[in-house]
Amino acid sequence: MTRIVPLPRERRHTLRFLEYARGFAPVFLDTEVDMTAVRAHRAAARERGERYSWATYLLHTAGRVLARHPEANAALRGRMRPRLARYDSVAAKLALDKHLGGHRVVLSAVLPDVHVATLRDIQTQVDRYRDGDPAGMPEFAGTRALQRLPWPLGSGAFAAGTRPLRGRPRRMGTFAVTSLGHSAVDGFHSVGGTTVTLGLGRVTDRAVVRDGRLAVAPVMRLSLAFDHRVIDGAEAADVLTEVRDGMQDFPGPAGRPARPETAGAASRGGPAGDGGPATPGSGT
């Protein structure tokens, strides 16, 4: 028997976001990241009783890369008279797989100043959003209000909240990170509502070639979607390459910001895992 029911209110914010994202001109890139250095760093941290997710390493690394690429750490508004904002600070929008009102939904958390935050600071924020109840967290008050609005008013309310360029980092971040790495997904592409969106697949052991020899290494597929209205492919490719290199040459000890001279260093190898979720949730 077929049942036709109204769309749950808890999904209204997703539909509003998808309407907003239709204005983007996305182009998709991807690469593979040798996670050997990150896995070693992660294992050493665990011995000290510290836990870091794969996504936390990406947020830490990508924040520093975007700070060096102001053209990509930007947002666009308008069609007849386009205006471009380039931001001095880097804020990450992290997709979360949560339950709200009995429904499984994608929510987004904004982590400010990830370009200067330590690994530990970022993980503390990730843990808070992972463990918190979105029904009561003040960061999701705007989303809950949008869900309660009558359908015809939702588009106007969403536009009013996202249109101003100066306030967009607080609401949308300056780049986005999303992950399905907790599942058997190697790679995927998503538009997160920012000029650059990074997507994590799972980390799994694969055969790689190092110095002409076959080896086994933990590998993660990393995707990048960019808004072609704001940047071109060469700039996006540089960002993706520097993020990959920063992950492959991730420095220690745990919690120390990556040294600028290490980011963008020569890559050590190609295509992981020791298990564990890539993010506190997943989504687009």
Side-chain angles (χ1 to χ4, degrees):
M1 180 178 177
T2 301
R3 295 178 62 239
I4 300 176
V5 298
L7 178 79
R9 287 180 176 269
E10 289 78 8
R11 291 199 57 78
R12 289 185 175 182
H13 69 282
T14 298
L15 267 65
R16 296 307 181 194
F17 169 76
L18 293 174
E19 291 175 353
Y20 164 79
R22 288 192 188 102
F24 283 63
V27 179
F28 305 100
L29 311 175
D30 68 75
T31 189
E32 290 184 333
V33 183
D34 183 337
M35 299 288 281
T36 299
V38 171
R39 188 168 68 176
H41 188 283
R42 196 175 186 225
R46 281 180 174 176
E47 291 181 359
R48 298 190 300 273
E50 301 172 359
R51 175 194 173 276
Y52 297 111
S53 71
W54 301 119
T56 296
Y57 288 95
L58 179 64
L59 290 163
H60 182 278
T61 302
R64 284 151 175 79
V65 171
L66 267 296
R68 300 196 299 271
H69 289 268
E71 295 84 359
N73 193 52
L76 182 71
R77 174 191 168 187
R79 295 185 178 180
M80 301 299 293
R81 299 180 61 191
R83 292 291 183 270
L84 188 66
R86 290 177 176 161
Y87 302 108
D88 293 333
S89 63
V90 183
K93 174 188 166 188
L94 178 64
L96 305 164
D97 177 20
K98 304 291 285 184
H99 284 82
L100 185 62
H103 298 276
R104 189 176 185 177
V105 297
V106 174
L107 297 176
S108 296
V110 175
L111 285 62
D113 299 324
V114 291
H115 61 301
V116 294
T118 66
L119 200 68
R120 188 172 297 110
D121 290 340
I122 294 172
Q123 186 64 52
T124 297
Q125 295 183 72
V126 170
D127 288 343
R128 180 175 182 275
Y129 285 112
R130 179 197 64 203
D131 300 333
D133 182 0
M137 295 181 70
E139 292 86 350
F140 299 122
T143 298
R144 296 192 299 267
L146 183 65
Q147 293 168 347
R148 292 192 297 268
L149 284 176
W151 183 256
L153 299 179
S155 294
F158 189 92
T162 57
R163 184 180 298 116
L165 288 173
R166 294 187 184 278
R168 201 172 293 180
R170 296 192 304 274
R171 295 179 173 88
M172 301 293 290
T174 63
F175 78 102
V177 169
T178 184
S179 171
L180 290 175
H182 65 292
S183 61
V185 173
D186 289 322
F188 71 108
H189 297 273
S190 173
V191 176
T194 50
T195 296
V196 168
T197 300
L198 295 164
L200 291 79
R202 64 176 176 169
V203 179
T204 185
D205 285 336
R206 294 181 184 164
V208 300
V209 176
R210 290 177 174 166
D211 300 323
R213 295 177 180 271
L214 192 63
V216 176
V219 176
M220 181 184 73
R221 181 75 58 82
L222 177 64
S223 69
L224 184 150
F226 70 94
D227 189 349
H228 209 335
R229 301 174 304 162
V230 182
I231 59 174
D232 296 323
E235 180 74 14
D238 286 349
V239 170
L240 183 59
T241 299
E242 290 183 30
V243 171
R244 183 203 64 176
D245 291 350
M247 296 281 280
Q248 293 186 162
D249 297 307
F250 196 86
R256 179 178 296 174
R259 296 167 293 171
E261 65 270 21
T262 66
S267 162
R268 282 200 301 267
D274 52 357
T279 68
S282 62
T284 56

